[in-house]
Amino acid sequence: MHDSVKRKTPDDPQPSPPMPHRAPRQLSDWSPDPPHVASPLAAEAVFKRPRLDKIQTSLRKRPLSRKSPLKPRPPPTARHGSDIEDLGIVSAADPGPSSGSLLRLRPAPNSADPSSPSLVPFFPIDANSIHIPSAHPLVNRQTLKELDLDVILRNPQLRHDLLFDPGLQFRPTCSRRKRNMCEHYWAAVIQEVESGCTCVSFDSQGKPHSVVCACAQVPQPSSQPVVAYSSTLNVFTLRMPSRIRNLLTEFLEVLLLVIQPLSSASGMYVYPSTLKSQMQEHSAQALYVRSIFDPVLIEQELKHELFDPSGLFSAIGTILKGHCAPMRDRSVEAIVQVAQTCAPGATGKKRDAVMAVRMCLEILELMKLDIANHQLQMLRPFLIRTSGQFELKAFKTRKGSECSLRLTREWLRLAHTDLLTRESIPHPGSPSGSLQYSTLPRNQQTYVTVLKGMIDLIFDPPESSPAPTSPSSPSPPLTPAFQCTSPVLPRLSAPPETIYLDSTRLAVLSADAADVTAIYMFLLLYRQLVHSELNDSSISPQEKIEDGDLLRLKTEIRDIGSARLGYCFSSRLVSDDVESSREKDLERERNAKQDIVLQVAKRAKEARSPSAPSSPVGEVPSETMLQVAQRWADSNIHTESSLCTMLRRRLRDVVFNSVVAQAYPGRDSTPGKLSTIDFLSCVQNGSTPIPTNLATGMEPLAEEVRSLAEKISRLALIHLNAYLALYEQEGFIV
């Protein structure tokens, strides 16, 4: 490989002084001292290690094809800074240290105090800047490790989510940040392969700058980057260690990882001997790959322009076709074709060889995803069957044996106390048509208490519950509606310890419940407008309001409103210190609320005068009706409204009764003993819909109530499958 400037290594002989006509670029003058550049990293700067010796070169341009070894000489006691001088060693973290400065400070000339202000400018670059290419490829052993079967089996959140989403699969991440990082990395690799340069430059403001190569002045670092500074151009250059060896090593290890998928899976099978022949075949392929792929040898061949990737990738392509899915065959063939262009006598260039490596790493990532998804689906029955025992064991390991579970106990005790005040709980499976909670056996009381506790977490969420984010809005989410309303029951300060895997799921269900409550209140406003100030008192309310009109209005409310109607309860929470992004969200919710009120008033006007001729835009409500509707909405659809609290309590009771009807009693229940309801059937097929006894005025909300009750029942059953034995312990609740 053609190198423009030879690098000095520790084993090289002492070089002769450089020729005066070999300067790497034209510079007009030398700055006596670089200017001071403020930086947020300055506060944690440390002392600079001894600088590199000043390079004595002329400032004329010189051809880059000749080699110019550099001979250091002892520095004078006081000297001006060179055009490019070393500023220190950067931390080994990738792409830079997570804290501290990238610089080593030196004291000012003629200063005996090491803490005196430095005349060397601070390195103004964010250590995690996306413009500093990574030292390793983004597809590597560490990033693919989470797809290993043993890691999947030890991941409580993943196994828990699999119970809710049967089609759960791993997919490649394709964020814009990752794409930019990937492009910067491969551009840096191509630059190094073609010219040997590993430098990246920034101006004094920390913005990317065209590369000012420091390879002739700064030796190749072995493991840690080195910062150099050009006083003439006021440019910082970061010379990185070579990426070639890391790339080749990671490529080999990822390839071996993909072609040996059973290495971590054999222990999960009852009869691993049935896989012995396949494992032996995979081991033989791995030995063959190691014999033809030597990272050290390939690196040397690249430096001497002797590397021929055509034969290597032809052999790798044959092996990959035996492991990948049929839909990946074309991608593998494309890799082999790109590599063939780099054969001797072909027209391919070095960047084509790098492209073949990049394409192969990308297909290896997809193959690893395919293998992980296949293993996940094959083991899904086993994961479901053992989910309860695994989650409880993982929870005890996470919390430790000394954990008091104070919040969980308080959560269940509040639900238990509230249930004791109820006379009965409607249940279609009971001979009497209802359950007397106080007369149930203790373990059955525990079961119903957990169901009630789940309802309370949704309709009265703890103060520190996470807010569900909207996928269409990049701004921070608004406060969950039911966190702002007056609680029906005493509210917990934080979520119970045992629902840590479902905290986000509960927040989404709470937002769903807030949406249903908002629709409930808007429909109530519609009824109020239709029945107020009627001119013809002989018409009964039943004849004035049809179910079809309510269902149509419900659909229009969802269409006009935002993605989360429940945020209309937060639209009055405005203060002077509200962030601009949140203020925009609140303003949008206020506008949506006013639009819905206008549509409700319009439909109420049409319902009050059905025989009137309709215009292209329909009946326009009067100014009086609009004022009444707006005052009603402002007075009742907000967090402190007593009407809102009453309707939320009514909706909560209806949903609770529906959840009890679906999730209680357990399968094969006998007097004094209660087993969990058909858990596997619930997870795999879903629960059977049960008719819900809706309160008056909720008839248009039957579908929303049924859907919400089914989701809560599924969540409660999965939770009970893991923690019911813990809750049934003596003295846990009472």
Side-chain angles (χ1 to χ4, degrees):
M1 183 181 67
H2 173 70
D3 284 337
S4 60
V5 180
K6 182 178 180 181
R7 301 165 184 74
K8 185 182 72 172
T9 63
D11 297 334
D12 291 339
Q14 291 294 330
S16 58
M19 299 296 295
H21 63 283
R22 306 266 311 198
R25 61 180 298 148
Q26 183 74 32
L27 299 174
S28 60
D29 58 0
W30 295 93
S31 173
D33 280 307
H36 180 78
V37 181
S39 168
L41 301 176
E44 299 184 15
V46 295
F47 298 122
K48 177 184 178 297
R49 66 174 177 79
R51 297 181 299 171
L52 294 180
D53 301 329
K54 181 177 179 181
I55 308 301
Q56 296 294 328
T57 61
S58 75
L59 303 182
R60 294 177 298 166
K61 285 188 176 180
R62 60 181 180 181
L64 297 179
S65 59
R66 300 176 55 187
K67 309 292 177 67
S68 60
L70 305 176
K71 180 177 181 180
R73 66 171 184 171
T77 55
R79 67 180 180 88
H80 297 298
S82 63
D83 177 62
I84 296 181
E85 60 182 1
D86 176 27
L87 297 186
I89 297 295
V90 184
S91 171
D94 180 27
S98 58
S99 63
S101 174
L102 293 174
L103 300 180
R104 304 298 177 101
L105 299 181
R106 63 176 174 86
N110 303 324
S111 173
D113 183 9
S115 62
S116 62
S118 171
L119 297 180
V120 177
F122 299 118
F123 189 50
I125 313 304
D126 180 6
N128 297 317
S129 172
I130 192 176
H131 301 292
I132 301 179
S134 171
H136 300 270
L138 272 66
V139 179
N140 53 61
R141 287 168 290 179
Q142 189 64 30
T143 57
L144 298 182
K145 188 172 182 59
E146 66 179 12
L147 301 176
D148 289 345
L149 182 59
D150 58 338
V151 176
I152 294 175
L153 296 176
R154 294 197 305 266
N155 189 334
Q157 187 67 63
L158 176 61
R159 294 183 60 166
H160 187 73
D161 293 342
L162 186 64
L163 301 175
F164 294 91
D165 186 2
L168 182 65
Q169 288 188 339
F170 295 102
R171 293 180 176 86
T173 56
C174 54
S175 64
R176 183 174 64 178
R177 176 179 175 83
K178 181 180 178 181
R179 290 195 301 268
N180 292 339
M181 292 177 62
C182 184
E183 293 300 329
H184 279 82
Y185 172 79
W186 289 110
V189 171
I190 292 175
Q191 172 182 295
E192 180 178 357
V193 170
E194 292 183 341
S195 65
C197 178
T198 62
C199 299
V200 56
S201 300
F202 300 87
D203 61 19
S204 59
Q205 303 300 322
K207 298 179 180 180
H209 189 277
S210 58
V211 176
V212 178
C213 183
C215 295
Q217 286 76 23
V218 180
Q220 176 77 59
S222 59
S223 59
Q224 296 177 329
V226 176
V227 179
Y229 175 72
S230 171
S231 58
T232 302
L233 301 175
N234 197 21
V235 171
F236 292 89
T237 294
L238 188 68
R239 186 169 190 198
M240 304 292 295
S242 175
R243 298 179 178 86
I244 303 301
R245 178 69 64 84
N246 291 336
L247 172 59
L248 296 174
T249 301
E250 289 295 340
F251 178 86
L252 175 60
E253 295 301 328
V254 171
L255 176 60
L256 296 175
L257 180 68
V258 172
I259 67 176
Q260 299 181 97
L262 300 177
S263 59
S264 62
S266 58
M268 290 304 304
Y269 293 87
V270 180
Y271 302 106
S273 58
T274 59
L275 305 173
K276 185 176 181 180
S277 60
Q278 295 185 27
M279 296 178 65
Q280 290 177 346
E281 179 183 358
H282 296 168
S283 299
Q285 292 176 345
L287 290 175
Y288 174 69
V289 169
R290 288 188 181 277
S291 67
I292 64 175
F293 194 100
D294 185 353
V296 178
L297 177 61
I298 295 176
E299 183 181 20
Q300 294 176 357
E301 291 177 344
L302 283 171
K303 289 182 178 180
H304 294 85
E305 302 184 9
L306 299 175
F307 179 55
D308 177 14
S310 58
L312 176 63
F313 279 94
S314 178
I316 291 176
T318 302
I319 295 175
L320 292 182
K321 282 189 175 181
H323 289 267
C324 68
M327 63 179 179
R328 309 291 184 198
D329 286 348
R330 289 189 177 182
S331 299
V332 176
E333 293 171 357
I335 297 172
V336 177
Q337 291 176 1
V338 172
Q340 291 293 339
T341 63
C342 300
T347 60
K349 300 180 180 179
K350 293 181 179 181
R351 63 175 54 243
D352 295 319
V354 175
M355 178 58 65
V357 176
R358 177 178 181 176
M359 294 171 61
C360 195
L361 277 177
E362 291 174 352
I363 195 65
L364 287 173
E365 181 185 24
L366 295 177
M367 289 176 61
K368 184 62 176 176
L369 289 168
D370 294 340
I371 293 171
N373 290 329
H374 175 72
Q375 292 174 339
L376 194 63
Q377 292 304 315
M378 293 297 294
L379 292 174
R380 186 171 183 270
F382 165 79
L383 298 178
I384 292 176
R385 188 170 59 253
T386 60
S387 62
Q389 302 91 317
F390 173 80
E391 284 190 23
L392 184 59
K393 181 180 178 180
F395 174 77
K396 291 181 177 179
T397 302
R398 181 175 183 264
K399 290 296 183 179
S401 57
E402 302 299 328
C403 182
S404 63
L405 303 181
R406 178 185 62 83
L407 291 171
T408 302
R409 294 174 184 270
E410 181 182 357
W411 165 53
L412 295 179
R413 285 170 183 168
L414 289 174
H416 173 72
T417 303
D418 183 65
L419 287 172
L420 290 176
T421 61
R422 293 173 176 258
E423 297 181 357
S424 62
I425 303 173
H427 192 281
S430 175
S432 61
S434 63
L435 301 174
Q436 299 295 328
Y437 178 80
S438 59
T439 62
L440 293 176
R442 185 175 60 86
N443 61 339
Q444 296 187 24
Q445 286 186 348
T446 302
Y447 194 97
V448 178
T449 298
V450 174
L451 299 180
K452 179 63 169 62
M454 286 293 177
I455 301 295
D456 294 340
L457 289 176
I458 292 170
F459 283 87
D460 289 304
E463 298 176 0
S464 60
S465 295
T469 58
S470 173
S472 60
S473 177
S475 58
L478 295 172
T479 304
F482 285 166
Q483 268 189 10
C484 305
T485 54
S486 302
V488 178
L489 295 174
R491 179 172 286 156
L492 297 175
S493 59
E497 297 87 350
T498 53
I499 59 102
Y500 73 103
L501 296 176
D502 291 311
S503 56
T504 302
R505 194 168 284 108
L506 285 170
V508 173
L509 290 175
S510 181
D512 292 340
D515 294 345
V516 178
T517 305
I519 297 176
Y520 189 15
M521 298 195 72
F522 283 122
L523 294 180
L524 181 60
L525 170 61
Y526 174 76
R527 295 175 185 272
Q528 293 282 346
L529 294 177
V530 169
H531 292 294
S532 62
E533 302 178 358
L534 292 178
N535 296 327
D536 189 358
S537 59
S538 62
I539 302 178
S540 62
Q542 291 79 5
E543 295 176 347
K544 294 293 296 183
I545 300 180
E546 300 290 340
D547 292 340
D549 295 338
L550 292 173
L551 294 175
R552 180 184 62 177
L553 179 59
K554 182 183 71 173
T555 303
E556 293 173 348
I557 290 173
R558 287 196 175 276
D559 293 340
I560 296 173
S562 61
R564 283 300 182 187
L565 290 170
Y567 285 147
C568 68
F569 294 105
S570 307
S571 59
R572 287 178 42 164
L573 301 178
V574 182
S575 59
D576 296 336
D577 58 348
V578 174
E579 300 177 2
S580 59
S581 59
R582 290 179 57 84
E583 174 61 30
K584 292 180 181 178
D585 291 337
L586 292 171
E587 183 65 26
R588 184 173 62 251
E589 298 303 327
R590 283 194 295 267
N591 294 336
K593 181 179 176 181
Q594 293 175 358
D595 294 341
I596 294 174
V597 170
L598 177 61
Q599 182 67 17
V600 170
K602 176 178 177 296
R603 292 303 182 189
K605 174 65 175 179
E606 294 175 354
R608 293 183 57 173
S609 54
S611 58
S614 59
S615 64
V617 295
E619 294 293 334
V620 179
S622 63
E623 185 66 25
T624 302
M625 178 177 286
L626 280 177
Q627 293 177 357
V628 170
Q630 194 62 54
R631 284 198 302 268
W632 190 96
D634 293 340
S635 301
N636 296 289
I637 306 180
H638 63 86
T639 56
E640 293 84 11
S641 168
S642 57
L643 178 62
C644 174
T645 302
M646 181 191 69
L647 296 180
R648 181 160 55 97
R649 182 187 297 112
R650 184 182 299 178
L651 179 62
R652 181 203 63 180
D653 293 341
V654 170
V655 173
F656 171 65
N657 294 338
S658 180
V659 169
V660 172
Q662 294 187 43
Y664 178 93
R667 182 183 59 176
D668 301 331
S669 59
T670 57
K673 182 178 180 181
L674 181 66
S675 63
T676 307
I677 199 170
D678 196 347
F679 169 73
L680 292 179
S681 175
C682 170
V683 172
Q684 295 173 357
N685 303 320
S687 55
T688 303
I690 296 178
T692 305
N693 295 325
L694 297 175
T696 303
M698 288 190 187
E699 294 82 3
L701 302 175
E703 183 63 25
E704 286 77 8
V705 172
R706 182 193 61 80
S707 176
L708 184 61
E710 287 182 356
K711 294 177 182 177
I712 298 174
S713 299
R714 187 184 186 89
L715 173 62
L717 289 173
I718 293 174
H719 184 81
L720 283 166
N721 184 60
Y723 296 102
L724 181 59
L726 175 64
Y727 299 153
E728 287 180 340
Q729 293 179 2
E730 187 69 28
F732 192 90
I733 298 180
V734 292

